[in-house]
Amino acid sequence: MNIQCPAAIGHVKVELEANEALHVLHPQSIAAFQGNPRNREDRFMDLGGAYRKKRWTRSRLQGPVQFLLGLPPGFTLEMVDIPEEGSLLFDYRHVMLFSDGMTFKSKILKWRTAWITRELVRIKFNGPGVLGVLSVGDIATIQLQPDHPLFVDKSALVAYPEDADIKLSVYGNSLASQHMNVQWELRGRGPVLIQTGARDTGLQDKLTDDGWVKRVLREALPFGSVYIK
């Protein structure tokens, strides 16, 4: 299996041998396909009871084939090796593809956490295999520590260990805590995957000429950056 993820180009080139197969969770991202047409099989996908009301399709691509995946502007694809007993819980929205033979199951989050973060479940993958993770910017990895909390912006957290101690929080003094997005506070052991795309919405607003009233309200009101979009 050969997966080429050139930086800042906006596509991924995949080559599969005859005994290899991949599942692509966003079939419409397949921009070009070279191989036997019968080597692509689309099917309905069920990611657990929480998602049974939605019908998503995925594509199983069997080698020997070559194909191109188009990525949204500013996004990158990172390949993550998953062991036989995986421990990471992934935000399903970031999963682009995974190798054939892998299994996955869903984990329901606490209601209070789900309400604030608008996440109901996270997905745990078991290998061995590889997982293609789609992110804004690159993926950074930080190791957790049991005695020192790691705070991560709620929109930046891609994956964390299943046995991590996690809760919603803010940090810093009162001014800092009132003007930041809700944070995930994590403790434990193991890697945390974080997407590193720009988190400063104020910078984006300035570049896109957002209204000055919105900018002032975001700065002046407690939690203004959370509620004023």
Side-chain angles (χ1 to χ4, degrees):
M1 183 183 303
N2 183 14
I3 302 178
Q4 301 176 17
C5 308
I9 292 183
H11 72 267
V12 176
K13 182 179 181 181
V14 182
E15 299 181 12
L16 300 177
E17 301 295 336
N19 61 340
E20 299 174 330
L22 276 178
H23 295 265
V24 178
L25 303 190
H26 299 276
Q28 292 184 345
S29 67
I30 301 175
F33 175 93
Q34 186 176 43
N36 189 328
R38 296 180 179 274
N39 285 10
R40 171 175 171 169
E41 177 188 359
D42 285 16
R43 60 184 67 173
F44 290 113
M45 178 179 63
D46 184 3
L47 284 182
Y51 297 117
R52 289 192 180 105
K53 293 182 180 180
K54 298 181 180 180
R55 290 174 54 177
W56 300 329
T57 59
R58 71 183 184 203
S59 292
R60 183 182 185 274
L61 302 173
Q62 175 71 51
V65 298
Q66 299 182 48
F67 60 95
L68 291 178
L69 295 175
L71 303 181
F75 281 69
T76 59
L77 187 72
E78 297 278 346
M79 303 308 299
V80 179
D81 291 323
I82 303 296
E84 183 175 354
E85 294 294 333
S87 63
L88 293 178
L89 297 180
F90 285 86
D91 182 340
Y92 75 96
R93 295 171 297 181
H94 291 276
V95 179
M96 182 77 169
L97 55 86
F98 60 91
S99 54
D100 197 39
M102 295 180 63
T103 60
F104 51 86
K105 60 182 180 180
S106 59
K107 180 177 180 180
I108 306 290
L109 300 182
K110 295 179 180 179
W111 171 247
R112 183 173 182 272
T113 301
W115 175 261
I116 296 177
T117 64
R118 299 180 183 178
E119 281 186 14
L120 182 60
V121 302
R122 288 231 163 197
I123 307 300
K124 178 183 176 182
F125 286 84
N126 292 318
V130 293
L131 197 68
V133 178
L134 193 64
S135 67
V136 180
D138 297 327
I139 290 285
T141 302
I142 299 180
Q143 295 292 326
L144 286 179
Q145 299 183 30
D147 300 326
H148 299 284
L150 171 66
F151 295 91
V152 182
D153 188 292
K154 68 180 181 65
S155 62
L157 185 60
V158 174
Y160 58 87
E162 182 179 15
D163 58 357
D165 180 15
I166 179 169
K167 62 181 180 180
L168 297 174
S169 181
V170 291
Y171 63 95
N173 63 7
S174 59
L175 182 62
S177 62
Q178 290 176 6
H179 293 85
M180 67 171 59
N181 289 331
V182 173
Q183 306 284 311
W184 295 88
E185 180 184 336
L186 302 102
R187 300 172 188 261
R189 299 187 184 278
V192 173
L193 305 185
I194 304 168
Q195 63 177 2
T196 60
R199 307 254 64 81
D200 186 354
T201 57
L203 175 60
Q204 181 179 352
D205 293 341
K206 292 175 184 177
L207 294 176
T208 57
D209 196 26
D210 194 12
W212 67 271
V213 174
K214 286 186 176 180
R215 295 201 300 269
V216 171
L217 291 176
R218 289 193 189 106
E219 293 293 331
L221 296 178
F223 303 101
S225 62
V226 176
Y227 297 108
I228 300 177
K229 303 300 181 181

